[in-house]
Amino acid sequence: MANTKKARRWDRLKYKYKLSIQNETSYEEVFSMKLSQLHVLMALSMLAVILVSLTILLIAFTGLKEFIPGFPDGNMRHIITENALRVDSLEFELQKRDRFLKSVQLVLRGEDDEEMENQRDSARVNYDTIQFSISAAEHEFRAEIEEKERFNLTVSQHKNANDGYFHFFPPVTGIVTRSFDEKAGHYGTDLVAKTNAKVVAIWDGVVVFTDWTVKTGYVIQVQHANNLVSIYKHNSTLLKKQGDYVRAGEMIAVVGNTGEETTGPHLHFELWKAGTPLNPEQFIQFK
């Protein structure tokens, strides 16, 4: 019985009806068309699908989407982008500050950074273990150059029980204008040099700080072995960044005249050991 009713309903959908348009005066048939309920439903469904698709495309690829409640407009998207960039910059500054504070704490405690030690060991593996064969002519040439350059490398006259002797490069070629004076709060040596003269690392180490300060301009600090830290201030340009491993005599900055506490192109050089300032002139021959 139920199947019979369903069959009847399906047959009714397929029943065809004649749609005829006639002239009212002459009753002449102008247009006629045979339709069924099934055909009408299919046509309406196709029309609905086309209208929905066109509406979606119109909203997706035109500015009409901004009128949808909850969708951000152009100004809001611009603000969101700016806030994302600010958050990224703040995160970078916080990481930079944390690295600086960690470096300062290690210096004050007189400890070595494990990362610095790993970088130093890696550098030694990459460079110090390389062996080259030297001919007799090369040996004579090297001896001649070493004889000419022997005064560029100085040996300290101080020896600690556990550290041994230190060999330092002069950080810059210049004249000492103000010496170390701990009582006056002057914890370094001022060296007058030519503008754009090169500043070199006094010893192998890792750069632990590079930044601009109001009083001392561009500053770079290098952490060495044996809890030694060298500081170079008033530079015009810094050539290394935090985390770089530098070798003794390698150029790390350019002499400048930056910062409020400067009266001309010069380098303020400081040497610290385990948080205690040292007199650089006792370890390095600047003249």
Side-chain angles (χ1 to χ4, degrees):
M1 188 67 179
N3 294 332
T4 303
K5 289 182 179 180
K6 290 181 180 179
R8 289 178 180 177
R9 291 177 183 175
W10 178 251
D11 292 337
R12 289 176 184 176
L13 290 175
K14 295 191 294 183
Y15 287 161
K16 293 185 178 180
Y17 300 89
K18 183 178 182 180
L19 176 64
S20 178
I21 300 177
Q22 298 179 345
N23 191 322
E24 185 178 3
T25 303
S26 62
Y27 294 101
E28 180 183 359
E29 186 176 21
V30 178
F31 175 79
S32 65
M33 184 179 182
K34 292 182 179 181
L35 294 172
S36 65
Q37 295 181 6
L38 182 61
H39 291 160
V40 173
L41 290 175
M42 292 176 62
L44 292 176
S45 300
M46 291 295 296
L47 181 61
V49 170
I50 293 173
L51 289 176
V52 172
S53 300
L54 290 176
T55 303
I56 293 174
L57 293 174
L58 188 65
I59 293 175
F61 296 101
T62 64
L64 294 176
K65 56 179 173 289
E66 295 184 359
F67 295 97
I68 299 176
F71 189 87
D73 56 6
N75 186 32
M76 180 63 69
R77 291 197 298 272
H78 180 69
I79 294 175
I80 292 173
T81 303
E82 285 188 346
N83 289 337
L85 293 174
R86 290 175 181 173
V87 170
D88 184 68
S89 300
L90 288 173
E91 184 178 1
F92 175 77
E93 291 297 329
L94 288 174
Q95 293 176 355
K96 185 177 179 182
R97 185 204 62 179
D98 293 339
R99 291 195 299 267
F100 171 71
L101 292 177
K102 180 181 177 181
S103 301
V104 172
Q105 291 174 355
L106 290 173
V107 171
L108 294 177
R109 291 198 302 265
E111 299 177 357
D112 286 338
D113 193 352
E114 294 182 0
E115 182 178 358
M116 183 197 70
E117 293 292 341
N118 293 334
Q119 291 180 355
R120 187 187 300 115
D121 294 340
S122 176
R124 286 172 181 167
V125 170
N126 293 334
Y127 300 103
D128 295 341
T129 59
I130 300 176
Q131 300 293 331
F132 296 96
S133 59
I134 302 176
S135 63
E138 291 175 349
H139 183 74
E140 286 184 16
F141 178 74
R142 177 175 293 185
E144 181 181 353
I145 295 300
E146 289 179 352
E147 179 65 21
K148 291 181 180 179
E149 300 294 331
R150 59 189 178 126
F151 294 108
N152 290 337
L153 182 65
T154 58
V155 181
S156 73
Q157 301 300 322
H158 298 269
K159 181 178 179 181
N160 295 332
N162 300 322
D163 296 337
Y165 291 106
F166 300 129
H167 302 265
F168 297 127
F169 273 88
V172 71
T173 301
I175 301 174
V176 177
T177 58
R178 186 178 179 186
S179 299
F180 176 87
D181 189 353
E182 186 173 3
K183 294 182 179 179
H186 191 256
Y187 300 110
T189 301
D190 290 343
L191 299 162
V192 173
K194 296 181 180 180
T195 304
N196 298 328
K198 65 179 183 179
V199 178
V200 302
I202 64 168
W203 203 18
D204 296 354
V206 174
V207 177
V208 295
F209 177 77
T210 56
D211 207 345
W212 162 271
T213 62
V214 176
K215 293 184 178 180
T216 57
Y218 286 106
V219 180
I220 183 170
Q221 298 183 14
V222 181
Q223 173 75 59
H224 309 284
N226 298 314
N227 297 325
L228 285 170
V229 176
S230 59
I231 304 175
Y232 314 78
K233 300 181 178 180
H234 302 300
N235 301 287
S236 63
T237 304
L238 302 180
L239 304 179
K240 301 294 181 180
K241 63 181 182 297
Q242 187 172 348
D244 288 347
Y245 181 82
V246 296
R247 306 299 296 266
E250 183 177 354
M251 189 173 178
I252 60 175
V254 177
V255 171
N257 188 29
T258 58
E260 295 179 350
E261 297 179 350
T262 182
T263 57
H266 78 285
L267 172 69
H268 177 85
F269 174 73
E270 296 181 6
L271 187 63
W272 296 71
K273 178 175 174 60
T276 302
L278 304 178
N279 184 358
E281 294 181 65
Q282 295 180 355
F283 296 85
I284 302 173
Q285 185 176 352
F286 295 104
K287 299 179 181 180

